[in-house]
């Protein structure tokens, strides 16, 4: 099963579009499960319930005191892992899944036994940055998901750094999931985009990331010793 961990706030329609694109364009939609993490105080919560009702058999809507994207991602990932997900996607409500996306993920699941992190063509950063990557079940079991020290910024940089340290980072350009981000003119800067980018949160996340990088440098030798041979090397077609 491929699990999509998707935090969201104040965007029921955008979330519904992302969910619909994932199922519509999956080759085996019955093998996909999505967990949407929404803040319990989100005034749009009833609209999420209506928007996702059509997919209720494969989508779980979880309301909680998440407060940050990372808390939502980690809570959703923990549940998907407990339910047996073979791969977990650091999904978002501004993604658009293209035809056959799940085939590429399933191919890596069936080929690579060692822990892996995979990014793809997102029409935003592409190969330059591992934005919103997939991780394998074995990676989650060894390292968990995202560092709780950050709230949003630098979260996927953590996964990219871990992937590079362990020789476990895969780039798959044939897997296409478009990131409809305001920087690309595909969305407006709403409150959900702006909240994690306030000066206070940016400064806190930057300080936390600096500490995380120092820890990674300290642990780099140990992490490299844990590297497993990766037959896919650094990319797939």
């Amino acid at each position: 099963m491929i699990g999509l961990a998707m935090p969201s706030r104040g965007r029921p329609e955008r979330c519904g579009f992302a969910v619909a694109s994932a199922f519509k364009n999956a080759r085996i939609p019955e093998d996909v499960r999505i967990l949407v993490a929404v803040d319990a105080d989100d005034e749009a919560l009833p609209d999420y319930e209506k928007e996702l009702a059509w997919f209720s058999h494969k989508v779980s809507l979880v309301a909680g005191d998440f407060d940050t994207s990372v808390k939502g991602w980690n809570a959703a990932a923990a549940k998907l892992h407990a339910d047996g997900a073979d791969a977990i996607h650091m999904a978002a409500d501004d993604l658009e899944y293209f035809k056959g996306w799940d085939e590429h993920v399933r191919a890596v699941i069936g080929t690579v036994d060692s822990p892996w992190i995979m990014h793809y063509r997102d029409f935003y950063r592409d190969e330059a940055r591992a934005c919103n990557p997939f991780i394998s079940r074995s990676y989650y079991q060894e390292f968990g998901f995202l560092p709780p020290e950050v709230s949003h910024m630098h979260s996927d940089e953590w996964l990219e750094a871990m992937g590079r340290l362990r020789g476990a980072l895969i780039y798959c350009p044939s897997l296409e999931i478009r990131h409809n981000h305001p920087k690309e003119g595909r969305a407006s800067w709403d409150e959900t985009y702006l909240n994690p980018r306030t000066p206070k949160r940016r400064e806190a996340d930057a300080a936390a990331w600096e500490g995380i990088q120092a820890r990674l440098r300290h642990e780099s030798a140990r992490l490299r010793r844990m590297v497993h041979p990766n037959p896919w090397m650094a990319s797939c077609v």
Side-chain angles (χ1 to χ4, degrees):
M1 179 259 285
I2 301 172
L4 278 54
M6 186 181 294
S8 185
R9 182 176 178 87
R11 296 175 177 166
E13 292 183 1
R14 294 196 69 177
C15 181
F17 176 80
V19 167
S21 73
F23 285 118
K24 177 183 177 181
N25 292 309
R27 297 293 187 190
I28 309 178
E30 58 270 24
D31 194 42
V32 176
R33 184 176 171 202
I34 303 176
L35 200 150
V36 178
V38 182
D39 289 319
D41 66 352
D42 192 336
E43 294 179 358
L45 186 55
D47 296 318
Y48 277 97
E49 294 170 347
K50 293 176 185 176
E51 193 73 32
L52 300 175
W54 180 259
F55 308 100
S56 59
H57 61 299
K58 296 297 286 185
V59 177
S60 298
L61 179 63
V62 177
D65 183 21
F66 299 123
D67 180 46
T68 69
S69 302
V70 166
K71 288 181 182 177
W73 270 314
N74 282 339
K79 175 61 175 169
L80 290 166
H81 175 262
D83 289 346
D86 298 301
I88 299 173
H89 187 203
M90 183 185 170
D93 59 13
D94 59 356
L95 298 182
E96 181 179 355
Y97 295 77
F98 286 4
K99 186 68 71 178
W101 66 269
D102 59 319
E103 283 186 323
H104 301 286
V105 180
R106 204 170 291 108
V108 180
I109 292 172
T111 307
V112 184
D113 295 326
S114 59
W116 51 262
I117 297 167
M118 181 171 67
H119 60 129
Y120 44 85
R121 188 181 183 206
D122 68 350
F123 304 88
Y124 177 38
R125 299 285 182 82
D126 293 339
E127 190 173 7
R129 172 66 58 78
C131 290
N132 299 99
F134 290 82
I135 67 167
S136 66
R137 181 174 184 84
S138 56
Y139 176 90
Y140 185 94
Q141 289 171 334
E142 283 195 47
F143 299 106
F145 202 33
L146 300 174
E149 298 97 319
V150 297
S151 66
H152 181 86
M153 309 301 289
H154 308 292
S155 50
D156 38 19
E157 288 177 70
W158 155 262
L159 290 175
E160 180 175 353
M162 289 292 287
R164 291 192 186 283
L165 271 175
R166 301 204 60 228
L169 190 65
I170 298 167
Y171 176 60
C172 187
S174 54
L175 166 54
E176 296 183 337
I177 302 173
R178 184 161 59 199
H179 195 170
N180 292 313
H181 198 277
K183 287 185 178 179
E184 295 298 302
R186 302 189 188 112
S188 59
W189 286 99
D190 61 14
E191 185 179 348
T192 302
Y193 280 124
L194 294 173
N195 275 344
R197 293 172 171 83
T198 62
K200 183 177 180 180
R201 281 204 168 178
R202 275 185 174 275
E203 290 172 9
D205 277 355
W209 178 234
E210 187 175 335
I212 290 168
Q213 286 180 301
R215 189 171 74 236
L216 285 174
R217 286 192 293 270
H218 179 72
E219 297 181 355
S220 62
R222 179 183 66 84
L223 289 168
R224 287 193 177 98
R225 284 197 297 271
M226 296 170 67
V227 170
H228 304 283
N230 188 337
W232 280 54
M233 301 301 288
S235 64
C236 66
V237 293

